[in-house]
Amino acid sequence: MVTGQRGRPRSFDRAAALDKAMLTFWEQGYETTSIADLTRNLGIGAPSLYAAFGDKRKLFDEVVVVYGSRYGDFASVALAEEPTAAAAIGRILREAAEIYTDPAHPPGCMVISAAANTTSEEVAEALRERRNANLELFESRIRADIASGELPPGTDARALARFAGAVLQGMSQQSRDGASREELEAVAERALLAWPRQATGNG
């Protein structure tokens, strides 16, 4: 009697499939990406997709994690490595100009663009939480610079953090509208002109 395995091993690489799913969601957004789009782009049937990842929402949750580890962590890295909030935000905006226009993948930020027009409040809220977490990191770093005297004591840390976030979101959308890396770098430099000047003792 044959007692070997009854089921065949999956005929696809799970990590590679996640990469393809990420590009699909990044390009089309969550709402307009269908199961048919995913099965076509991943090269698997719907039963295999459901068996490997569960439903569309669960697959998207995994994709967001992959995206964050590969493309979305540049902000937290800059905040950790740069000596001041101004230097960190400047680096974040310049790196965003490069990442958002890299021809190796769809333009913009997936966490921003994938939320567009979604009717799933759960998905919208999950993406909103990720964006707000970045704003909290920005604000925390700005407050530290205020406390150390690097920024003037009257600086509105929350407003400044939201300003940086708004510039990032605008750069993402403009990249999807065709803005080049050089054009977005120019936007970044203009935005940095609005950053509060370092406090000095020259009265």
Side-chain angles (χ1 to χ4, degrees):
M1 183 175 64
V2 178
T3 58
Q5 293 182 345
R6 293 177 61 85
R8 294 187 305 171
R10 292 194 182 107
S11 59
F12 69 99
D13 182 290
R14 197 173 193 279
L18 274 172
D19 283 345
K20 293 174 182 177
M22 177 181 65
L23 294 175
T24 303
F25 283 122
W26 196 345
E27 179 66 36
Q28 299 180 198
Y30 177 81
E31 187 70 21
T32 57
T33 296
S34 67
I35 292 296
D37 294 329
L38 292 166
T39 56
R40 180 176 62 253
N41 291 342
L42 273 59
I44 60 176
S48 294
L49 186 147
Y50 288 122
F53 301 109
D55 59 19
K56 173 182 165 181
R57 168 65 197 280
K58 291 176 182 177
L59 171 57
F60 183 69
D61 287 344
E62 285 198 53
V63 160
V64 170
V65 173
V66 172
Y67 174 85
S69 65
R70 191 170 305 168
Y71 300 104
D73 286 348
F74 67 97
S76 58
V77 171
L79 288 166
E81 293 181 353
E82 295 299 327
T84 66
I89 296 298
R91 173 174 161 184
I92 289 166
L93 295 180
R94 295 181 187 104
E95 289 185 355
E98 177 182 1
I99 293 169
Y100 291 173
T101 58
D102 187 340
H105 53 66
C109 169
M110 192 195 76
V111 173
I112 295 171
S113 61
N117 302 318
T118 181
T119 58
S120 169
E121 183 54 36
E122 289 185 356
V123 170
E125 179 60 25
L127 295 175
R128 189 181 305 121
E129 287 176 359
R130 292 183 72 89
R131 295 193 299 272
N132 285 338
N134 270 341
L135 293 182
E136 289 172 7
L137 288 175
F138 292 175
E139 183 177 345
S140 176
R141 187 58 191 278
I142 291 165
R143 289 191 184 282
D145 276 13
I146 295 170
S148 70
E150 181 67 32
L151 286 170
T155 301
D156 187 332
R158 176 160 295 187
L160 193 54
R162 286 198 171 276
F163 168 74
V167 174
L168 275 173
Q169 289 178 344
M171 290 171 65
S172 173
Q173 182 57 53
Q174 289 203 11
S175 71
R176 293 182 70 85
D177 289 342
S180 68
R181 174 179 175 177
E182 293 73 18
E183 288 171 328
L184 293 186
E185 286 174 342
V187 169
E189 297 307 321
R190 294 299 300 180
L192 293 172
L193 293 177
W195 198 264
R197 298 299 95 192
Q198 181 176 353
T200 66
N202 296 330

